[in-house]
Amino acid sequence: MTIFDRNCRACPRLAGFLDDVNERYPDYYCRPVPPFGAPDARFLIVGLAPGMHGANRSGRPFTGDHAGILLYQMLHKYGFSTCEHSEAVNDGLELIDCRITNAVKCLPPDNKPVGAEINTCNRFLANELQTLPPGSVVVALGGIAHRAIVKAMELRQADYRFAHAALHDLGQFRVLDSYHCSRYNTNTRRLTEAMFDAIFAEVRALLDK
Ligand code: URA
């Protein structure tokens, strides 16, 4: 039951794109990006896919680009990490009762994985969701992550619609939806700091109950 394969080349378009990017940026990580955090965590964050100059460069989800700034700040504020900044894989940062993963593990062109790629990668997420202890909470960052979780649990999408701050009981765990903390969403204030803070406050309260 593997949750990650560093050598995966199952999506030809993504594998070829990683090869091209690696030629342009030889010092970038340019591989499937592994989940980061505690293997027995009760809090799992599911993002979309590595960003070109963030996770794809550093090898750690949400590390090195704008999308991670607010995320790691919130994790620290609510006691889920040892530091409020994630700089690089060797920075000593540890997550506490928390893990971050992506619905798609490889960098997609234009930040947009196609449906077949999301589906091919879904087995890793499905296996990872099975590792969650009872009482766990999953935060879905954006609609694609939300739908990948519903698919991985073999549930009907129509029964679980994405909406910011919606809490879904999936039986084995709960899913709390949030708009993705992308630069676009935070710049346009579709997702404000207060909205994102409220998501993490709710996770903390759910896990502390
Ligand atoms: N970096 C990630 O690892 N995932 C995202 O969804 C965005 C940026």
Side-chain angles (χ1 to χ4, degrees), residues 126-196:
N127 290 341
E128 188 165 14
L129 293 171
Q130 295 306 321
T131 69
L132 292 171
S136 291
V137 178
V138 178
V139 163
L141 291 178
I144 292 180
H146 167 97
R147 287 187 289 280
I149 294 163
V150 174
K151 180 179 170 57
M153 295 306 291
E154 299 179 359
L155 295 168
R156 276 161 41 102
Q157 299 290 346
D159 293 338
Y160 302 93
R161 291 291 186 199
F162 174 84
H164 179 78
L167 182 65
H168 308 271
D169 189 345
L170 264 52
Q172 278 174 248
F173 51 82
R174 287 156 296 181
V175 175
L176 181 58
D177 288 338
S178 171
Y179 290 137
H180 192 284
C181 48
S182 64
R183 184 193 289 272
Y184 181 82
N185 281 349
T186 51
N187 279 355
T188 58
R189 299 186 61 76
R190 183 178 180 84
L191 179 71
T192 63
E193 187 171 331
M195 288 163 73
F196 209 39

Side-chain angles (χ1 to χ4, degrees), residues 47-51 55 61-62 65 67 102 180:
L48 169 57
F62 289 94
D65 60 7
N102 281 309
H180 192 284

Side-chain angles (χ1 to χ4, degrees), residues 31-191:
R31 288 264 185 169
V33 175
F36 169 55
D40 57 349
R42 294 178 304 151
F43 177 21
L44 180 69
I45 297 168
V46 182
L48 169 57
M52 167 78 99
H53 304 294
N56 178 63
R57 171 165 50 143
S58 64
R60 180 192 282 171
F62 289 94
T63 297
D65 60 7
H66 187 272
I69 296 174
L70 198 53
L71 175 63
Y72 281 99
Q73 267 175 26
M74 290 300 160
L75 289 174
H76 188 247
K77 176 171 178 186
Y78 286 95
F80 294 111
S81 84
T82 57
C83 177
E84 65 176 332
H85 306 291
S86 177
E87 311 277 0
V89 285
N90 59 358
D91 62 5
L93 168 68
E94 284 179 28
L95 298 186
I96 302 162
D97 202 12
C98 175
R99 193 167 65 250
I100 308 175
T101 195
N102 281 309
V104 173
K105 306 294 189 269
C106 292
L107 169 73
D110 302 321
N111 291 329
K112 286 196 186 80
V114 298
E117 293 159 352
I118 298 167
N119 292 343
T120 299
C121 210
N122 200 250
R123 65 197 156 103
F124 295 119
L125 183 63
N127 290 341
E128 188 165 14
L129 293 171
Q130 295 306 321
T131 69
L132 292 171
S136 291
V137 178
V138 178
V139 163
L141 291 178
I144 292 180
H146 167 97
R147 287 187 289 280
I149 294 163
V150 174
K151 180 179 170 57
M153 295 306 291
E154 299 179 359
L155 295 168
R156 276 161 41 102
Q157 299 290 346
D159 293 338
Y160 302 93
R161 291 291 186 199
F162 174 84
H164 179 78
L167 182 65
H168 308 271
D169 189 345
L170 264 52
Q172 278 174 248
F173 51 82
R174 287 156 296 181
V175 175
L176 181 58
D177 288 338
S178 171
Y179 290 137
H180 192 284
C181 48
S182 64
R183 184 193 289 272
Y184 181 82
N185 281 349
T186 51
N187 279 355
T188 58
R189 299 186 61 76
R190 183 178 180 84
L191 179 71

